[in-house]
Amino acid sequence: MRIGILGAGNMADALGTQWTRAGHRVRTSGRAPAGAFAEAAAFGEVVLLAVRHEGVEDTLRAAGGSLAGKVVVDCTNPIVEGELVTGTTSAAQRVAELSGGRVVKAFNLCHEDVWRMTPPVFGGSPLVVPLCGDDPAALATVESLVRDLGCVPAAGGGLARAGLLEATAALVIGLWRGGADARGILPPLAYAQGDPAQKGRPSAGSPIAESTASAQKTIIR
């Protein structure tokens, strides 16, 4: 697959290097020489947007009309000085409006060095990469690029939910900078719907528990 990368920073290098190792043809681009963004956009069957939030709109304009209809992977975060700076729509939705591409939000929750790992595995489990997008074919393409890194893709919903990924990035970056392990804020999957050991038992304060307690009191009387 041909992958054009709009950007030449750390994220561009980390992901581009891994995809090159996986056998893809990759072309990165920066602000110089003139036309570099347009050339990378034209080259790629898939295009990764990997610039700072402040430079997104200028980069997309420089890329030109060749992004229209293409799979565009947005790994940017609209975060300035630790704060989320989106308006009524997510940054990914704005990318879709400006580029005309089939945008998939992905790869925005980890430091670039995580993407350099071969593969990113923690505690014996591969890293899960959530994706948000509206186009099934585009999502399938990006899922394959996630697997090329040794990671596991996860469906995060449509592009309208990309703002949730962007907000999650702002939250966890703040936690990490404060010295907290962001993974510790959530229980394991087995506990997502409660304590497995309590399955079938009504929890205290629930209508079932209260009605059971009331019935027991009536019997005792």
Side-chain angles (χ1 to χ4, degrees):
M1 187 185 304
R2 298 190 313 277
I3 302 173
I5 300 182
L6 304 181
N10 291 329
M11 282 291 287
D13 178 69
L15 291 169
T17 297
Q18 295 287 44
W19 288 330
T20 298
R21 288 173 178 165
H24 300 293
R25 296 171 58 198
V26 174
R27 178 176 294 181
T28 59
S29 60
R31 294 189 179 279
F37 286 135
E39 291 170 3
F43 170 81
E45 300 166 81
V46 174
V47 178
L48 172 70
L49 177 62
V51 297
R52 290 185 178 275
H53 172 69
E54 298 89 332
V56 165
E57 293 197 9
D58 286 345
T59 298
L60 293 176
R61 291 190 188 97
S66 59
L67 293 175
K70 288 189 176 181
V71 179
V72 177
V73 185
D74 174 22
C75 72
T76 69
N77 280 315
I79 300 171
V80 178
E81 297 182 356
E83 299 297 328
L84 199 66
V85 293
T86 51
T88 56
T89 60
S90 68
Q93 288 173 301
R94 181 63 175 155
V95 170
E97 292 171 4
L98 291 172
S99 68
R102 295 178 290 150
V103 174
V104 177
K105 189 78 181 188
F107 305 110
N108 72 307
L109 296 182
C110 295
H111 190 275
E112 62 264 12
D113 287 346
V114 172
W115 305 122
R116 298 184 196 280
M117 298 173 66
T118 52
V121 172
F122 304 92
S125 298
L127 184 69
V128 174
V129 180
L131 313 176
C132 289
D134 293 332
D135 187 280
L139 286 165
T141 297
V142 181
E143 286 172 1
S144 72
L145 293 175
V146 169
R147 294 189 184 95
D148 285 339
L149 303 179
C151 300
V152 178
L159 198 63
R161 291 174 61 85
L164 299 178
L165 275 184
E166 294 164 2
T168 298
L171 173 64
V172 299
I173 288 170
L175 291 173
W176 286 326
R177 286 179 174 172
D181 185 348
R183 292 191 304 167
I185 68 176
L186 298 173
L189 177 60
Y191 289 78
Q193 299 185 47
D195 185 350
Q198 301 297 319
K199 291 294 184 183
R201 301 180 187 178
S203 59
S206 71
I208 296 175
E210 290 176 357
S211 62
T212 301
S214 177
Q216 288 174 339
K217 289 179 181 178
T218 301
I219 292 171
I220 292 172
R221 289 175 185 167

